Amino acid sequence: MVERVRGLLRMAEDPSVTDAESQAFTAKAAELMTRHAIAEAEARAERGEEPDAISRMDYTVPGVGGHGKARVRALADIAAAYGCQSAVRGNTSENTDRTIILVGTVDALDALRMLMPSISMQMEASAKFMSSSHVTDIRELRNYTRSELETERKRYYRSFVRAYGQAVAERIREFRARLQESAAPEGVSGSAEGAPSRGAELILRDDVHRVNEEFQKQFPQLRKHRPERTHSAAGARAGYRRGRQAQLGLDTPLSSGGTSALAESD
């Protein structure tokens, strides 16, 4: 399964493929890993084994272009959709790298370790294209100075990235909810010894509780995340639309899901 996922992501990152093809490859990779994680969790429960271990992963987020804080917000939302909690170190306004500290199950962190670079690549490519198009469009409306156009481009880019991450996270939660509902139909028993099988919904709910407990142990005191002040309504609309359209294999009706516990760590 891992080799299949890596192969799909290599194809998604190939510059010769179209945007739609890249999204489709990433979609299949996300679906494979999500189905595999739920199947493994149920199998461990039926065998009477301990649940998936809770671990930690540090992930570097570039600050290129001054958009590091927006990238952190987008990736933290996506990580939260996989049941992870997030803290961030170095989240200043400088063009420096940040570190997202993710706490989650080993399966969830493995999935994010492979998926986040590909999702980031698609997100950045879309943001770059759409912000350039936006600047071109508004330049034709009236005589903006170069400084005004650059400011608008940055506002649009950051709002696009934040909304893109929010939309992708929504779709991941929807897909996971659908798998939870279909993985273990009500009334079905599991193990050979006659003990009832723990459904995917119960397993993942327990995972979230264990992740929250471990996160609180590791980060008992965190400063609240300071949101960015810059906002572009046009950029947010475009980012959300592109995030919902990104073919991640998550085409289910909207449902509620987890939220990110993004905060700042010293």
Side-chain angles (χ1 to χ4, degrees), residues 8-9 12 17-32 82 115 118-119 121-123 126 164 167-169 171-172 174-175 178 239-252:
L8 287 164
L9 294 180
V17 303
T18 66
D19 187 48
E21 289 170 335
S22 177
Q23 291 171 354
F25 289 137
T26 305
K28 190 61 180 176
E31 181 178 338
L32 279 175
Y82 272 93
L115 276 177
S118 286
I119 292 175
M121 180 194 70
Q122 294 179 46
M123 179 175 69
S126 291
Y164 189 102
V168 169
R171 298 180 68 192
I172 291 170
E174 292 162 14
F175 182 59
R178 184 180 69 178
Y240 186 84
R241 185 167 58 248
R242 290 297 286 265
R244 292 295 304 185
Q245 291 170 352
Q247 297 180 21
L248 297 171
L250 315 173
D251 50 353
T252 59

Side-chain angles (χ1 to χ4, degrees), residues 136-212:
T136 299
D137 290 342
I138 65 172
R139 185 188 289 121
E140 297 175 356
L141 297 178
R142 71 179 177 88
N143 225 358
Y144 285 93
T145 66
R146 182 176 298 181
S147 175
E148 288 172 332
L149 288 172
E150 180 59 17
T151 297
E152 180 60 20
R153 186 192 68 78
K154 287 182 177 180
R155 290 175 65 246
Y156 186 98
Y157 196 110
R158 293 168 186 171
S159 297
F160 183 101
V161 165
R162 291 194 298 265
Y164 189 102
Q166 177 189 359
V168 169
E170 276 186 2
R171 298 180 68 192
I172 291 170
R173 289 195 297 268
E174 292 162 14
F175 182 59
R176 284 165 64 89
R178 184 180 69 178
L179 288 181
Q180 289 176 42
E181 292 169 1
S182 63
E186 188 177 353
V188 175
S189 295
S191 69
E193 290 77 12
S197 171
R198 296 180 68 204
E201 182 179 0
L202 181 59
I203 292 167
L204 294 182
R205 192 186 309 151
D206 181 58
D207 284 348
V208 169
H209 177 69
R210 293 188 301 115
V211 167
N212 289 343

